[in-house]
Amino acid sequence: LTATEFNNITGGTLTIGSRTAGPIVNSSAIDRTNATLGTNLTLISGGSITQTGAGNLVISGAANFVSSGSGSSGNIILNNATNNFGTVAACGTNITLVDPDALTLNTITGNGTVSITAQNLTMLSTVNATLGGSVILTPTSGVTVDLGTASSGNFGLTPANINNITGGTLTIGSSVGGPVVSSANIDRTNATLGTNLTLVSGGSIMQSGGNLAISGTANFSPGASSNITFNNLANQFSGSIIATGNVVSIAGTSGLNISSVTSNDLTLNTSSGNISQTGRILVSNVNTTYLTAVNGNIILNNTTNDFVGGIYANATNDIQLYNSNATILGNISSTNFQMVSAGGGITQVSGTNIVVSGLSNLTASGNSITVNQTTNDFGTVQASGTNLTIAESNNITLNNTS
């Protein structure tokens, strides 16, 4: 059907195709915005539904796309940047919808990955991918992504909207978009819906209210030189955390497990539980690492860790740190403390103190250890290095020190 032939069809809903027919290809500009002719369009295919060349769809009413094909033959790929939909429903394998303006979603069901790009979204129903797939929600411009409030001025999703999204990984935001702000309680702990959350931004990623509960992988990727700030101690990151940013600050109530962090300045704070890792932590330049684990341990002993600036750490129980670089210690407070400095000596920031009631085990093989602040308070010290300088405000016990 040509565009002219479309304009000669009148009906409230125009339905084209069949579940037993072949693929549908949109290859030219199709307009269903004339209320006299009808504004609703349904495309049904036994194969894929795609766009090519100058093909675009401008539908002011309800658009419904259905493919009964399997695998890639069931894909619905409508990714022309000039599409303009009113309300869209779709059912297929992998589904991609692009609309540069506001988009209203009815039920979207993909047996794979669902990708939606729009200026802002209104969700009337569920958006479903498989647990092995992803749901990717992308703003078309630099508008703020607001996880908590939906309005015409932002790319907003309410907590209820997010609870209506199923997908192994939910990805929200864009590397060329505006900041991402979490302003309400966001929960991704229901295994039936999917437990992984990825936030992407061209600016900062931050929390202005509420808390995050993520039982899968939390992945935060802001714009260049932008910050990641999740400082609410009520956050619950029970899975792993991946973060790359300028200043990274993450807090939680049930421990923090770091899969990968790259930053210039790092703060990790948990009000209950441990700070641990499964992958590398890189804190570059001469900025600082602050670690706090109330009623827990700090165990960051990955041999690829690289802490360039000062390390400040406070744990109710034990602290174990490994640094592939030279090590600068700030305030340290724990029951037991183990510091391995594989890339150079161990020194201490002036005016700080190391307070360890149990064993302090300091290793800087082939390099000097200088912890010389007179307010230090050690229990037992075990140290291995070349030149050792240890200051203590009270009594000290030395054990296997060389």
Side-chain angles (χ1 to χ4, degrees):
L1 294 171
T2 66
T4 300
E5 288 169 333
F6 267 93
N7 291 333
N8 285 326
I9 298 174
T10 300
T13 298
L14 171 59
T15 300
I16 301 172
S18 161
R19 291 179 181 273
T20 59
I24 294 176
V25 179
N26 169 217
S27 59
S28 63
I30 302 300
D31 189 297
R32 295 299 285 177
T33 61
N34 188 327
T36 303
L37 299 179
T39 60
N40 303 319
L41 176 66
T42 295
L43 300 181
I44 303 174
S45 174
S48 60
I49 301 174
T50 60
Q51 291 180 307
T52 185
N56 80 321
L57 294 173
V58 179
I59 315 296
S60 61
N64 188 10
F65 307 111
V66 179
S67 172
S68 60
S70 61
S72 60
S73 295
N75 290 345
I76 300 171
I77 310 296
L78 302 174
N79 56 1
N80 190 308
T82 61
N83 290 332
N84 197 335
F85 301 109
T87 301
V88 177
C91 180
T93 307
N94 299 304
I95 298 173
T96 299
L97 302 173
V98 174
D99 184 332
D101 298 316
L103 179 61
T104 299
L105 297 179
N106 214 315
T107 303
I108 306 293
T109 302
N111 190 29
T113 293
V114 174
S115 176
I116 309 292
T117 300
Q119 179 75 14
N120 56 64
L121 288 179
T122 299
M123 287 180 55
L124 302 180
S125 185
T126 58
V127 175
N128 303 308
T130 61
L131 290 178
S134 301
V135 173
I136 304 168
L137 305 178
T138 305
T140 54
S141 67
V143 296
T144 297
V145 175
D146 189 336
L147 303 184
T149 304
S151 73
S152 60
N154 63 27
F155 189 93
L157 295 167
T158 66
N161 292 152
I162 292 174
N163 289 337
N164 280 327
I165 298 172
T166 299
T169 297
L170 171 58
T171 299
I172 304 172
S174 167
S175 60
V176 296
V180 174
V181 179
S182 179
S183 61
N185 293 338
I186 303 300
D187 189 294
R188 294 299 284 177
T189 61
N190 187 330
T192 304
L193 299 178
T195 60
N196 303 316
L197 177 66
T198 296
L199 300 180
V200 182
S201 173
S204 61
I205 299 175
M206 61 174 291
Q207 190 168 39
S208 66
N211 62 72
L212 286 181
I214 313 297
S215 61
T217 298
N219 190 340
F220 306 122
S221 181
S225 302
S226 295
N227 301 334
I228 300 169
T229 308
F230 287 96
N231 283 337
N232 191 333
L233 280 169
N235 294 330
Q236 292 183 325
F237 299 101
S238 50
S240 59
I241 298 171
I242 300 171
T244 301
N246 178 32
V247 176
V248 175
S249 182
I250 299 174
T253 187
S254 57
L256 301 173
N257 180 27
I258 304 303
S259 178
S260 173
V261 167
T262 301
S263 68
N264 290 322
D265 192 297
L266 175 64
T267 298
L268 300 176
N269 185 2
T270 177
S271 59
S272 177
N274 303 324
I275 297 176
S276 59
Q277 69 180 144
T278 59
R280 186 188 192 209
I281 296 175
L282 168 62
V283 184
S284 57
N285 298 329
V286 293
N287 293 303
T288 306
T289 300
Y290 297 93
L291 309 170
T292 301
V294 178
N295 298 320
N297 305 299
I298 299 172
I299 311 295
L300 302 179
N301 51 15
N302 188 294
T303 57
T304 61
N305 289 339
D306 191 350
F307 300 100
V308 176
I311 301 173
Y312 293 68
N314 177 13
T316 303
N317 300 319
D318 295 346
I319 297 175
Q320 297 178 22
L321 302 174
Y322 187 102
N323 189 8
S324 62
N325 211 318
T327 299
I328 304 169
L329 295 178
N331 293 319
I332 303 292
S333 177
S334 65
T335 301
N336 297 296
F337 177 49
Q338 176 180 296
M339 182 71 243
V340 178
S341 184
I346 298 174
T347 58
Q348 186 176 6
V349 177
S350 177
T352 64
N353 58 73
I354 301 173
V355 179
V356 181
S357 58
L359 174 65
S360 295
N361 189 345
L362 308 177
T363 301
S365 299
N367 294 285
S368 298
I369 298 175
T370 305
V371 285
N372 57 359
Q373 298 301 295
T374 57
T375 55
N376 292 337
D377 190 356
F378 294 102
T380 300
V381 175
Q382 179 173 314
S384 176
T386 51
N387 301 311
L388 307 180
T389 303
I390 301 172
E392 162 69 42
S393 60
N394 295 300
N395 299 323
I396 189 171
T397 300
L398 300 179
N399 181 33
N400 293 329
T401 296
S402 61

